[in-house]
Amino acid sequence: MAHEHTSSEETAVAVAPERLPDDVDVARGLTADQVAARIASGQTNDVPDRASRSVKDIIRGNVFTRINAILTVLLVIVLATGSIIDGMFGLLIVANSGIGIIQEIRAKRTLDALAIVSQAKPMVRRDGVAVAMAPKDVVLDDIIELGSGDQIVVDGEVVSSAALEVDESLLTGEADPVHKASGQQVLSGSFVAAGSGAYRATKVGGDAYAAKLAEEASKFTLVHSELRSGIDKILKFITYLMIPAGALIIFNQLFTIGLPIRPALNGMVAALVPMVPEGLVLMTSIAFAVG
């Protein structure tokens, strides 16, 4: 029986809300010394930048590709012979790179604009005074006041409630506001639909719910595509095939037919360019951009 009683107590403790720290005064909020101590220990709401690629990385990633390298080498050979017209296929380098850069920069702007938690300034109790401050200045255990329309910027526990109702539709999809009583949890990214109250910040920075969602949503990843993988394999195979093929063609042009070096180089490039599926790559880029 004693063992069963102990287990019941442990279960009760596990489901009970977090106990308010002894040094936190709900009515007055944190003191300047308490705030300084939490900042020193890294318990702030300063969320790191999202993991989207910079414009420089986007340009580098779309310019320095395998097909651009192949076409550039062939273009340089043609231009070295003085035949500019025969080098018009070089415009495909600009087209492929331009489409990729434009669509990825547009995606980057969308990701950078993604923010479940806006920059609305919450009212935080500090030394007995409610002060409006930026979300990044909130620290652990701050007491944050809530009113109708206010946004919850960090995860927390309600410490006072006057008919407080929270809209969590952005997080859960639930359209109906949820009543929040003292001791219940609130999540960042939700809004106060009605009533008023206050809550204590229990999770800040990267630990907050909305911060985790924003980080996952804005992380740069290349989605696996069977079409892209197939094209990469084709280009890799063609790269290795073009070297001996080019050598045989130039040998035939110079020693079998007896052409001068410049016409021989032009003939070699003319034979190699059709081997590169630049049209397929261009149409794929256009399809991805439209999609």
Side-chain angles (χ1 to χ4, degrees), residues 52-227:
S52 60
R53 292 209 294 181
S54 64
V55 175
K56 182 179 179 181
D57 291 335
I58 291 174
I59 294 175
R60 183 188 300 114
N62 285 279
V63 172
F64 297 103
T65 60
R66 183 180 296 273
I67 189 168
N68 283 355
I70 296 172
L71 294 177
T72 300
V73 171
L74 297 177
L75 178 63
V76 169
I77 295 174
V78 170
L79 294 180
T81 65
S83 180
I84 299 177
I85 296 179
D86 291 337
M88 294 301 291
F89 64 86
L91 294 176
L92 291 171
I93 301 175
V94 179
N96 284 327
S97 301
I99 293 173
I101 291 171
I102 290 172
Q103 67 174 343
E104 194 165 339
I105 288 179
R106 289 181 60 187
K108 170 183 167 58
R109 289 177 179 174
T110 302
L111 293 178
D112 290 343
L114 175 65
I116 296 179
V117 178
S118 69
Q119 293 303 310
K121 294 185 177 181
M123 299 296 294
V124 182
R125 294 175 186 171
R126 296 276 177 90
D127 288 316
V129 180
V131 182
M133 59 181 59
K136 67 178 183 179
D137 295 328
V138 175
V139 300
L140 190 68
D141 294 325
D142 257 329
I143 304 299
I144 304 171
E145 296 183 352
L146 294 174
S148 182
D150 287 347
Q151 190 174 34
I152 298 173
V153 295
V154 294
D155 296 359
E157 179 185 340
V158 177
V159 294
S160 65
S161 173
L164 181 64
E165 293 185 356
V166 176
D167 182 352
E168 298 179 340
S169 58
L170 287 177
L171 305 177
T172 64
E174 175 61 48
D176 297 330
V178 180
H179 176 70
K180 295 291 184 180
S182 295
Q184 291 188 312
Q185 301 295 315
V186 289
L187 297 175
S188 52
S190 54
F191 295 84
V192 178
S196 61
Y199 72 101
R200 177 178 66 89
T202 57
K203 290 183 179 180
V204 295
D207 294 332
Y209 186 75
K212 292 179 180 179
L213 286 182
E215 181 181 1
E216 292 176 2
S218 62
K219 188 177 295 183
F220 172 78
T221 54
L222 281 176
V223 178
H224 176 72
S225 168
E226 293 291 340
L227 183 58

Side-chain angles (χ1 to χ4, degrees), residues 35-59:
V35 173
R38 283 162 172 77
I39 292 176
S41 60
Q43 297 173 325
T44 66
N45 194 44
D46 191 9
V47 181
D49 295 334
R50 296 186 177 92
S52 60
R53 292 209 294 181
S54 64
V55 175
K56 182 179 179 181
D57 291 335
I58 291 174
I59 294 175

